[in-house]
Amino acid sequence: MVETDGPDVCACERCPALVESRSRIVNGVGPADAALCFVGEAPGANEDEEGEPFVGRSGSVLDDALRDAGLARADVRITNCVRCRPPENRDPRAEELDSCADFLDREIEHVDPDLIVTLGKVPAQRVLDRDVAITKEAGSVVDARLGGESRRVLLCLHPAATLYDRSQRESFADAIGKASALVGASESDQARLGDY
Ligand code: URA
């Protein structure tokens, strides 16, 4: 049985392995009319404990980059492709991404953001429905069909990538800066930024 309250999922048992491994369903946070929506992969241990996406070490990296780009965490929407923590932090399986897909679609439709930022390879591939070489494609802006319409998507590294490889920090910070510029820019700036 699945119950939802707006974009929130209150009960779901579609993925038996995730029902076993999760403590709770982790829904997206942030304003329901946010201009900017970040989409990660799936909750980790901290997120599963606190019931909020990106609150662990990856969340700190994201928060710092947002602050440096002049954005507050409270002003953006943050969600995941999959709402339940996979066992031992493995990647979500294709069937789990498929099972959770309509929840993300419904959330995007509800929030209707100006820009979606995918954090890492898994959400980029899910949103674009193709293989993505994320270290090569990070920073690019593409259009993708999501939540009932074509939407602007900025591909970004996962914040955890900067923890394993500090040389990726600049690329991550640049992408968040670009996201900030894209949603804050005037219409003439938007036309110029459209070249990204
Ligand atoms: N990594 C993700 O992809 N999502 C989270 O919520 C936390 C870590």
Side-chain angles (χ1 to χ4, degrees):
M1 182 183 53
V2 175
E3 294 166 20
T4 64
D5 172 16
D8 280 358
V9 181
C10 304
C12 178
E13 305 210 330
R14 289 177 184 176
C15 307
L18 303 191
V19 171
E20 270 294 298
S21 59
R22 76 179 182 209
S23 312
R24 71 201 80 241
I25 295 169
V26 179
N27 286 301
V29 293
D33 61 350
L36 193 49
C37 180
F38 291 87
V39 180
E41 185 177 309
N46 298 99
E47 291 74 23
D48 179 67
E49 200 176 311
E50 293 189 35
E52 180 169 339
F54 286 100
V55 289
R57 289 177 73 205
S58 296
S60 300
V61 173
L62 177 61
D63 289 351
D64 289 349
L66 286 172
R67 200 175 322 112
D68 290 348
L71 295 164
R73 180 181 170 98
D75 295 335
V76 302
R77 185 91 188 171
I78 307 177
T79 192
N80 279 307
C81 291
V82 166
R83 290 172 195 248
C84 300
R85 181 193 181 193
E88 282 138 36
N89 292 338
R90 65 157 168 75
D91 283 355
R93 300 199 167 118
E95 63 271 22
E96 293 162 350
L97 288 160
D98 287 347
S99 290
C100 227
D102 62 323
F103 298 142
L104 180 63
D105 276 348
R106 202 178 309 163
E107 183 172 10
I108 297 294
E109 197 177 347
H110 187 86
V111 175
D112 193 22
D114 295 338
L115 180 70
I116 294 165
V117 181
T118 52
L119 296 171
K121 186 183 179 84
V122 168
Q125 296 195 152
R126 145 80 181 101
V127 166
L128 300 187
D129 197 23
R130 64 165 171 83
D131 279 346
V132 173
I134 193 61
T135 42
K136 289 207 184 96
E137 297 188 49
S140 56
V141 179
V142 293
D143 289 323
R145 193 144 189 98
L146 197 67
E149 53 186 83
S150 176
R151 303 194 183 260
R152 206 169 212 205
V153 178
L154 170 61
L155 307 183
C156 183
L157 294 172
H158 194 282
T162 71
L163 297 170
Y164 307 129
D165 178 356
R166 293 185 69 86
S167 70
Q168 302 287 7
R169 288 210 163 189
E170 203 173 313
S171 161
F172 185 74
D174 285 352
I176 303 297
K178 188 184 279 189
S180 173
L182 281 167
V183 292
S186 67
E187 267 179 32
S188 60
D189 287 342
Q190 289 275 359
R192 186 171 45 78
L193 289 164
D195 297 339
Y196 278 137

